[in-house]
Amino acid sequence: MQAFSYVPARTISEAAEILAREGDQAKCLSGGTDLIVFLREGRRSAKVVVDVKGIPELNQLSYSPKEGLTIGAAVPCHRIYNNAQIAAAYPGLIDAVTLIGGTAIQGRATLGGNVCTASPAGDSIPVLIAYEATCIVASRSVTKAIPLEKFFLGPGRTVLQPSELLVALKLPPPRPGTGAAYLRFIPRNEMDIAVTSAGVAVVLDESKTHFVGARIALGAVAPTPLFVPEAGAALAGRPVSDEAIEAAAQAARAAARPITDMRGSAEQRKHLSYVLTRRALWKAVERAKSA
Amino acid sequence: MSNKVLVTATINDEEMSFVCEPRQSLLEVLRDVLNLTGVKEGCNNGNCGACAVILNGVLVNSCLVLGVEINGATVTTIEGITPKEGLHPLQQKFLEDAALQCGICTPGFIVAAKALLDKNPNPTEHEVRYWLAGNLCRCTGYDKIVRAVLDAAEVMRAEKQPV
Ligand SMILES: Cc1cc2nc3c(=O)[nH]c(=O)nc-3n(C[C@H](O)[C@H](O)[C@H](O)COP(=O)(O)OP(=O)(O)OC[C@H]3O[C@@H](n4cnc5c(N)ncnc54)[C@H](O)[C@@H]3O)c2cc1C
Ligand code: FES
Ligand code: FES
């Protein structure tokens, strides 16, 4: 691997100071399951690797029914799914964090890293968008909040400047009647990259017979994870029914603009957008009803 | 070019200090600096689990950790699981159940299985298969490996029973 120096940062300002000074020759290290591979393969270069795992704000994992969920950018997947309260409140997120890599990957991999790698197939992203996640971003001088669906520019590219780091993801408390789910299609059961995926969150009315609203996002069908507001809009105000869910799934298929590559053809991915959206919506409805 | 760093960690219950370059992975440090060659390199990119170790109680692939990241941490490798005398029940059952051929994947499987049984002493076959999904074996086939883990779990539960 190329040579670099290593700084275990203790505070946001210490990390931001190095990022401001070194620009794109400084790289944040969270779980390292992407970065170490990228550096080893020469797909990224770094003069300084800034380990952000020791920064308290990036390690925070807290949930309250009033404040919602804060996931520090350096919190590994296993801490999220081993937290019973979070697992109960955000089952759609648990679908995603339990299928990123295998056990040993989940011991290190973080949502901060997943989001900053900005793969169109990043497994945490569609359902985080469905849950209305916001990115908390800090530089030396400012802290700002960016809705996750506005974070991505293209494969591997985000709005994050070299001088900025991701501090945390914030999810609002689930509204009464919420259900969510994440589904991905891969040729085996574990350890593969999504051919296509769908993350959905629905809100049902008090009688649980009508949709109040829904948010739907797709993975691996566009240069970035794809938020499809029109698919969610197709459900608002309608009865929970095959017809309504069919309309939303059709809207997801229409919005998908995939490519053909070694993992699947564009046509297959279009079809999967439809099937996975439909199945994820029914799963989310079931969860909303049993919550 | 050498910017070596001093690292102190507890490895297999022993406090150790070593120097390494930031670019060296924990896998390289364990094998090449500390001579703990039980840990194996398969893919060197996180896909095979041959390099699995337990870091602060959590199963990780040592090829995806930097040596400098373990400063102050606790690491258990296959050497640390092996008792002073005899074999660990997992090792014993891998032998008895013929759960290995070339053996390159074996330390990783045993370390991963140990991490599972520490958390869940009575896993189902399904749980064992999912937990070990990140460990690849090119020669033995997975049925015998899963059988060995389930058999070892049974032995370990029996050993824990108060007499
Ligand atoms: C075997 C294997 C299987 C995998 N399986 C999956 C899978 O099923 N699904 C999936 O989505 N991914 C998968 N991945 C990819 C990877 O594990 C995930 O993307 C993971 O979430 C990355 O998180 P990390 O903490 O390891 O990131 P890192 O490797 O630490 O960082 C990733 C990138 O983000 C940057 N970064 C990290 N933290 C910050 C921060 N706070 N601020 C700014 N930039 C930051 C880094 O500089 C780097 O460019 C797999 C990887 C491997 C090796
Ligand atoms: S050598 Fe580390 S996972 Fe294969
Ligand atoms: S025994 Fe040879 S790889 Fe598993």
Side-chain angles (χ1 to χ4, degrees), chain B residues 27-49:
Chain B
L27 172 61
E28 288 171 62
V29 167
L30 290 171
R31 287 184 59 86
D32 303 342
V33 181
L34 300 174
N35 228 4
L36 292 166
T37 52
V39 58
K40 300 300 180 210
E41 177 181 321
C43 62
N44 212 21
N45 62 21
N47 275 283
C48 78

Side-chain angles (χ1 to χ4, degrees), chain B residues 2 6 15 26 35 57 59 62 78 81 90 100 106 127 131:
Chain B
S2 166
L6 176 67
E15 187 168 298
L26 175 58
N35 228 4
L59 182 71
S62 62
I78 186 68
I81 291 172
L90 278 161
L100 69 149
T106 312
E127 285 168 335
W131 185 275

